[in-house]
Amino acid sequence: LGIPKMRRTGFFCAFLLMLVFTTYIVFILNYSSFVPCSCGGILEKMGWTEHLIFNIVFTVLALAAYLAERRNTETYTLVIFGSFFSILLVFILYTISERVLHHQNPFVRRFDRGVVEKTAQADLQMYNAYFAGAGNGKVFLSNTNTPLVVYEWDNKLQRQIKHIISIDHDKYPFRSVQLKVVLPYFFVFDGTVPVIFRGKVSDWKAFQIMMGNYYFSKIVVMDSLNIAFRAQDRYSKENILGKFSFSKKMKVTLINNILQKQKDGIFDTDGTMSYDPILKNLTYLYYYRNQFIVTNQHLKLDYRGNTIDTTTRAAIKVNYFKESGERKPSTPAVTINKYSASYGRYLFVNSGLRGKFEPLDLWKTSSVIDIYDLKNNTYVSSFYAYDIGEDKISDIMVNSEGIYIIIGKTLQKYRLHKNFN
């Protein structure tokens, strides 16, 4: 622009540059699943819509200056073809970027400061709390130390009510009693004892609905009549999935081809389970490898998906003791995926691995939660949940009202960006 003989070329290049950036903003605002932070410098106070208006003005000015230098058929042809190829270039780069990020991710997370917003926080005044369920504007928590006590919070985390559960048979040798709430019912169980209790939250009195020979290590209540569980196969002693149905009489369905063995079929297939009442699918996420499994409500496999880290095999060694028949891991395994929750089309995963280009200091003082789209089997975005003192995330739950996280003795609520609704 400062050289008279090159000024016309400078105006044309300025026009193309502004056109490329303007096209990029149009894609970000209309087609991207997230909107990154805006530019720095003198424009850092502007939002993306203001940027778009700003860019359009200067794109028009650059074009007007170029046309003012000379107007002929060749000039107009050059403007048309230059504009076409500039827009096409942005489209190609955007498509490649999205494809790499969502489908061929080399463990690079995408953080957007606007993906979530913390809206409430409460002091639980206790450790070892976990989410029991939610519904009707209420959040239910329990505690591993007092398993028959229910803490009911309103969805703004401002008011708490404590309930005491009574069960009709309490003489069983329970070791790890747990609670799940699916309104209007709640369920009490301990997989080391093959019994399940059910009651209504209107009076918090539980009655035995199952007793048999079916022991289980994990359980997910799908609705008032159907419960998915994980157990050990009686013959192979490996983990399998199953379902209890209580419509007329109890029916048990066992599925032994969902979980995939890599080493021993027990520790290497350990993981978390979550059920989404909207899509009616069950998601099983492995602890020690980058894979999750999605089934329908009848435990029929839909597909196997992958988290964005590159750990395809469980890095775990197992010792087998012939005398006792026990199996124990010889060394602590690296946990790839810690906690998970699903709701609607999204799966939320608290990852245990630091991705590429992520600051070590930030990783040490926070936990990262990755978001996956279960409908499209793609990675979407990530956000940080910051530690409170030495405490990190210990549980996560998601429903229509937001994301709930327990960090030590603190309960937090986050709201998702509108693009995720």
Side-chain angles (χ1 to χ4, degrees), residues 51-117:
H51 268 300
L52 179 61
I53 298 172
F54 179 91
N55 280 14
I56 290 175
V57 171
F58 279 86
T59 302
V60 172
L61 287 175
L63 178 60
Y66 174 67
L67 294 177
E69 289 286 321
R70 185 190 304 170
R71 293 189 183 185
N72 53 37
T73 304
E74 179 183 346
T75 300
Y76 291 115
T77 302
L78 193 60
V79 168
I80 293 173
F81 278 95
S83 301
F84 173 77
F85 284 109
S86 296
I87 296 173
L88 181 63
L89 174 64
V90 177
F91 173 77
I92 292 174
L93 292 176
Y94 173 81
T95 303
I96 293 174
S97 174
E98 291 294 292
R99 187 173 188 82
V100 169
L101 189 67
H102 294 305
H103 299 279
Q104 305 164 6
N105 193 299
F107 205 9
V108 177
R109 289 190 171 98
R110 180 163 73 180
F111 292 94
D112 171 31
R113 289 182 295 181
V115 67
V116 295
E117 175 189 3

Side-chain angles (χ1 to χ4, degrees), residues 120-135:
Q121 180 169 304
D123 183 5
L124 298 177
Q125 299 182 344
M126 61 180 178
Y127 283 104
N128 301 316
Y130 67 90
F131 291 111

